Amino acid sequence: MTTYTTRANRRNNWYGYLFISPMMLGFLCFLAGPILYAFALSFTDYSLLHPASFVGLDNYAQLMGKDPLFWKTVGNTLYFSAGLIPLNLLLALSLALMLNQKLPGTGLFRTAIFTPVVTSIVVWAIVWKYVFATDAGLLNQILGYFGIQGPAWLYDTALVMPVVIVVSVLKKVGMNMVIFLAALQDVPSMYYEAATIDGASKWRQFHSITLPMIAPSIFLTLIITLIGSLKVFSQIIVMTEGGPGTSTYVLVYYIYQLAYKVFDIGYASAVAFILFFLVLVLTLVQWMLRKRWVHHEQ
């Protein structure tokens, strides 16, 4: 390699670094830097009312053994995820299978389902809060026409979390539906033709052809939906504010309360990193288990 070629490659490398420098600076200043700073704060007793003091692992020890509200929020968060993920994926896949049939009005129906995805989550939550209102809510008024006394949806500890789950599913199901629909349209039709000739039923075709072929898309939507469900916040603060009582306290809402209501920044940072590790662990578990059921990775 000549000296000229070496210099040209070095110059091209510097041009590359120059072009990516805005992205790298933004990443360091607005993402990596704040994350590291928050991690450092999690080892301090820091409030807006007094300077920070190093306390080591005291915040994490308090979380694990002396804060029952923390474990309540963890349970609520996992409850929300366990309800939202299967309901979202099953509904999205069912809608995608229906829309893949190319029936009349498919385009309009697809648009109607996807529209909530691009709607502001705050506006969406406000609308559904009025739908589920106890006295003047649309749902209870409809039930009243049939002589049914509607419950206090958002003030009943047994009903409020399922209500939030349903509202969240309807908001996000359109995105997963589009992903599934694209995956279904990518399955070669010759597989179905061969299966039909062999006498395979529709269910057999779905189980043996469709599911294995779209498994990578199912895995993708599973990971995205899992991470999103663990970070739920807007629906909670708009519809329930964590209530009634602490029945809808989730981890992000608890972090918000600690940081912006109590001003306990150090403790809130510790909770935030527990959430980070929870997301990381559950994602890694899904990643390791994927080889057991995702056999068609591209």
Side-chain angles (χ1 to χ4, degrees):
M1 182 179 294
T2 65
T3 303
Y4 175 79
T5 304
T6 303
R7 290 179 178 175
N9 289 339
R10 188 180 298 116
R11 184 173 63 251
N12 289 336
N13 289 339
W14 279 111
Y15 286 150
Y17 293 138
L18 181 64
F19 280 114
I20 68 172
S21 60
M23 174 68 76
M24 293 303 299
L25 288 173
F27 173 78
L28 292 174
C29 294
F30 301 109
L31 187 61
I35 289 175
L36 293 175
Y37 182 62
F39 184 62
L41 287 179
S42 70
F43 298 101
T44 66
D45 178 16
Y46 174 53
S47 171
L48 297 180
L49 305 177
H50 60 77
S53 59
F54 182 75
V55 295
L57 296 174
D58 287 357
N59 287 332
Y60 293 97
Q62 182 176 349
L63 280 175
M64 295 303 170
K66 301 177 182 178
D67 187 356
L69 184 55
F70 168 73
W71 292 110
K72 174 69 173 177
T73 61
V74 171
N76 288 341
T77 304
L78 295 178
Y79 174 25
F80 179 85
S81 298
L84 181 134
I85 293 172
L87 187 59
N88 187 306
L89 296 185
L90 288 173
L91 181 58
L93 182 56
S94 300
L95 292 171
L97 289 169
M98 181 179 66
L99 294 176
N100 196 42
Q101 302 301 316
K102 298 181 175 61
L103 299 174
T106 297
L108 179 62
F109 191 59
R110 185 186 311 169
T111 302
I113 297 174
F114 189 78
T115 297
V117 177
V118 296
T119 303
S120 168
I121 182 62
V122 174
V123 174
W124 182 260
I126 290 173
V127 170
W128 283 99
K129 181 178 181 179
Y130 284 109
V131 170
F132 285 103
T134 304
D135 298 323
L138 177 63
L139 182 56
N140 279 355
Q141 288 187 13
I142 294 175
L143 293 175
Y145 286 124
F146 297 96
I148 301 174
Q149 178 64 40
W153 299 97
L154 300 178
Y155 299 95
D156 188 325
T157 55
L159 294 176
V160 62
M161 187 62 84
V163 167
V164 177
I165 290 173
V166 170
V167 170
S168 303
V169 167
L170 295 177
K171 174 71 171 68
K172 297 293 186 179
V173 71
M175 178 60 72
N176 288 343
M177 179 202 69
V178 170
I179 295 174
F180 285 143
L181 185 59
L184 289 170
Q185 293 178 349
D186 197 44
V187 178
S189 59
M190 61 181 180
Y191 295 155
Y192 297 110
E193 294 170 358
T196 302
I197 293 173
D198 289 340
S201 63
K202 291 293 184 181
W203 168 251
R204 186 64 180 178
Q205 293 179 30
F206 174 75
H207 183 267
S208 301
I209 299 175
T210 305
L211 283 181
M213 293 296 291
I214 68 171
S217 297
I218 296 176
F219 176 68
L220 171 64
T221 55
L222 176 61
I223 293 295
I224 293 174
T225 308
L226 170 64
I227 295 174
S229 66
L230 294 173
K231 299 189 300 180
V232 60
F233 173 69
S234 300
Q235 304 95 304
I236 298 297
I237 193 171
V238 173
M239 296 183 67
T240 70
E241 296 185 356
T246 58
S247 57
T248 55
Y249 257 65
V250 290
L251 282 170
V252 178
Y253 184 77
Y254 189 38
I255 295 168
Y256 164 78
Q257 288 288 326
L258 290 171
Y260 297 104
K261 297 296 184 179
V262 186
F263 303 118
D264 193 348
I265 307 298
Y267 196 63
S269 299
V271 179
F273 273 88
I274 293 295
L275 174 59
F276 169 77
F277 287 120
L278 179 62
V279 172
L280 179 63
V281 168
L282 292 178
T283 303
L284 289 177
V285 169
Q286 292 295 328
W287 181 261
M288 290 186 292
L289 292 177
R290 81 190 193 284
K291 293 184 178 180
R292 297 188 178 184
W293 59 279
V294 181
H295 306 296
H296 180 61
E297 294 187 281
Q298 296 180 346

